[in-house]
Amino acid sequence: MAGLPTNSNTLAEKQAKTLQQWQALFTVSRAADAPSAQHHWQEVMRLGLPGRKHEHWKYTLLDGLLAQQFSAPAAVTLNDDTLTAHALALESWRLVFVDGLFNAALSDAQWGPYQIAVNAPHAAPTDLAAVQPELFLHLTESLAEQHTAIRLPAGCQAEKPLYILHISSGQSASLNMAHQRHHLYVGAGASAEIIEHYVSVDDKAHFTGTRLTVHAAANSQVEHLKLAFEAAASYHFAHNDLVLERDARVRSHSFLLGAGLTRHHTSAQINGEGVNLSINSLILPIGNEVCDTRTYLEHNQGHGESRQLHKAIVSDKARAVFNGMIKVAPGALKTDGQMTNNNLLLGRLAEVDTKPQLEIYADDVKCSHGATVGRIDDEQMFYLRSRGISQQDAQQMIIYAFAAELTEALNDKLQEAVLQRIALRLPNAAGVA
């Protein structure tokens, strides 16, 4: 009937209202005067918020996010007891960020061979351009109050990991927005390990926007681990960029085990021969959560190897989304790339949408992709139950076995933290091993 509002108009109004709130936050932020931040904000306005018909958002709707009232983080005071409750007991050099801002009091005073500078965006050193830009990458770049530049000089072998702990808090009346921007440069022949850990102070909702860029110089080695253990009411939007030079070795593992809506991108470029790259992830949405993981990899030079393994354990009415792309450029001969997505559904209404893809523009390459979706095998369950194992313990064994290919690559303390998080999220199907 003419004159009545339509759903599309209602959605458009919500999108406009959200952009207005974000613009207000950008205007009063410390980043607003920086040319780079202004450029990224212009991209946010140009792209706009995606609708339900947008190809890359058809399974990941933003309705809940658009209904929120957004605010800048209020000042929060945390003490050592709060730090102890949330930090992992690791032998490491530690940096702590609270609601997107560096907290010197909770961080270590020294960081070994790592050279670290935390600056306002306008003072940040030049870092990598986005491999595959998207809306929330631009949002984080425009609203991040600080940039952290991390440098490991050529030839340095870091004997301990750099542990970056992000603690976020929520508010009752609005959605706290905290944005983090980090850049890691690992010099030629150097070896680095970096751990990102995201936690919530309590169960209140908050919004985390984060971007990490990693530049691995020739013959360097980088171990990157991300643990996202935030509150179930929260939103987590992240974009990691990896750029590898000749003979670099990089492994990136993401364990996305929290937040009601997660959208996680990993984009990578192989820009030299002899490169070895691994990108792996484990996600575990429960309830009505949505966890969306995306990878985009460019093999721009030949004689390189990449391996990707992405696993999802989906429970209740939750949804997992995977979208992966391997693109082999003309002339990238002898490229060897593999991408696998395996999904385990625990609930009758659990859902997964998967789309692994290849674009190959070179001859003499070896590339493959594949995806599997299934439920707990009845024969496996019968075998375990027939040996006196309870149904809950049998489910636990099957779930942990499904995740083991990823968790066993971690050291004991990190593996324990991941398994405890799985047990916390699936109390009826998994106990602490």
Side-chain angles (χ1 to χ4, degrees):
M1 181 179 294
L4 290 180
T6 64
N7 288 335
S8 60
N9 288 335
T10 302
L11 176 60
E13 291 171 359
K14 290 180 178 179
Q15 291 172 333
K17 181 180 178 182
T18 297
L19 287 174
Q20 288 172 1
Q21 293 185 68
W22 290 353
Q23 185 168 25
L25 293 175
F26 173 70
T27 301
V28 299
S29 72
R30 293 168 55 193
D33 294 332
S36 61
Q38 293 174 4
H39 164 74
H40 285 290
W41 179 250
Q42 290 170 2
E43 288 299 297
V44 171
M45 297 301 291
R46 182 184 67 84
L47 293 171
L49 283 157
R52 296 182 179 90
K53 295 182 180 179
H54 194 287
E55 175 64 24
H56 293 290
W57 290 90
K58 61 193 298 185
Y59 301 116
T60 308
L61 302 181
L62 297 177
D63 299 53
L65 182 67
L66 298 179
Q68 300 288 336
Q69 296 292 322
F70 300 90
S71 63
V76 176
T77 301
L78 301 180
N79 55 31
D80 290 339
D81 291 338
T82 304
L83 179 65
T84 301
H86 292 93
L88 299 176
L90 300 174
E91 186 66 25
S92 62
W93 293 292
R94 184 175 64 207
L95 284 80
V96 179
F97 292 80
V98 178
D99 288 331
L101 298 178
F102 177 65
N103 189 307
L106 299 179
S107 302
D108 290 339
Q110 302 293 329
W111 303 296
Y114 290 98
Q115 301 170 358
I116 299 176
V118 181
N119 304 305
H122 65 274
T126 302
D127 50 25
L128 298 179
V131 175
Q132 191 188 40
E134 45 87 21
L135 170 66
F136 286 93
L137 178 152
H138 293 301
L139 183 66
T140 293
E141 289 279 12
S142 59
L143 292 181
E145 295 277 345
Q146 296 175 336
H147 281 200
T148 306
I150 305 168
R151 183 181 182 88
L152 187 64
C156 287
Q157 311 296 310
E159 65 270 21
K160 294 190 298 185
L162 186 66
Y163 174 43
I164 305 178
L165 175 62
H166 296 275
I167 304 176
S168 296
S169 63
Q171 301 180 27
S172 299
S174 61
L175 193 67
N176 236 5
M177 293 196 79
H179 294 267
Q180 286 83 205
R181 176 68 175 93
H182 305 308
H183 175 66
L184 171 66
Y185 174 81
V186 182
S191 178
E193 182 178 359
I194 181 171
I195 300 171
E196 296 183 274
H197 186 199
Y198 294 83
V199 299
S200 304
V201 172
D202 50 37
D203 293 332
K204 293 180 181 178
H206 58 81
F207 181 104
T208 297
T210 178
R211 185 176 181 222
L212 169 70
T213 51
V214 177
H215 184 175
N219 201 36
S220 63
Q221 296 188 40
V222 181
E223 290 279 341
H224 167 248
L225 173 64
K226 177 171 181 176
L227 306 174
F229 295 172
E230 293 178 307
S234 300
Y235 299 83
H236 188 98
F237 288 79
H239 200 132
N240 293 343
D241 280 358
L242 314 173
V243 175
L244 290 73
E245 296 183 13
R246 174 182 54 83
D247 294 323
R249 301 286 186 271
V250 175
R251 294 201 309 167
S252 179
H253 303 273
S254 297
F255 291 87
L256 310 175
L257 309 177
L261 174 59
T262 300
R263 175 91 167 192
H264 191 278
H265 292 251
T266 301
S267 302
Q269 287 181 334
I270 292 178
N271 292 337
E273 295 187 349
V275 163
N276 186 287
L277 171 64
S278 295
I279 303 174
N280 304 314
S281 68
L282 176 67
I283 66 176
L284 201 165
I286 63 175
N288 292 309
E289 294 175 358
V290 177
C291 189
D292 185 331
T293 58
R294 291 168 182 262
T295 65
Y296 175 82
L297 169 57
E298 294 179 354
H299 278 268
N300 293 326
Q301 296 290 329
H303 300 273
E305 181 179 276
S306 67
R307 294 291 183 269
Q308 295 187 51
L309 178 59
H310 305 279
K311 292 197 171 190
I313 302 170
V314 192
S315 184
D316 306 319
K317 299 179 182 179
R319 168 179 280 173
V321 180
F322 174 73
N323 187 302
M325 169 68 77
I326 298 177
K327 187 175 182 179
V328 182
L333 304 178
K334 302 296 183 181
T335 288
D336 183 354
Q338 294 182 16
M339 176 170 53
T340 303
N341 174 226
N342 296 329
N343 303 277
L344 179 63
L345 303 181
L346 300 183
R348 184 174 58 87
L349 300 178
E351 183 177 336
V352 62
D353 301 281
T354 178
K355 188 179 179 181
Q357 306 163 81
L358 299 175
E359 283 189 15
I360 302 174
Y361 300 98
D363 297 325
D364 196 12
V365 302
K366 183 170 66 174
C367 292
S368 64
H369 62 59
T372 63
V373 180
R375 303 183 186 276
I376 289 180
D377 188 271
D378 290 339
E379 292 186 4
Q380 290 179 336
M381 183 64 71
F382 176 79
Y383 178 85
L384 295 172
R385 294 296 305 278
S386 67
R387 279 150 181 78
I389 300 173
S390 69
Q391 181 172 347
Q392 180 172 329
D393 288 343
Q395 285 181 325
Q396 169 193 326
M397 294 174 66
I398 293 171
I399 291 169
Y400 283 170
F402 179 80
E405 197 170 356
L406 297 175
T407 59
E408 289 181 353
L410 307 176
N411 67 38
D412 291 344
K413 289 187 177 180
L414 293 172
Q415 184 181 106
E416 180 183 2
V418 171
L419 294 181
Q420 286 180 343
R421 184 65 181 182
I422 294 175
L424 181 65
R425 304 217 89 206
L426 295 174
N428 295 324
V432 178

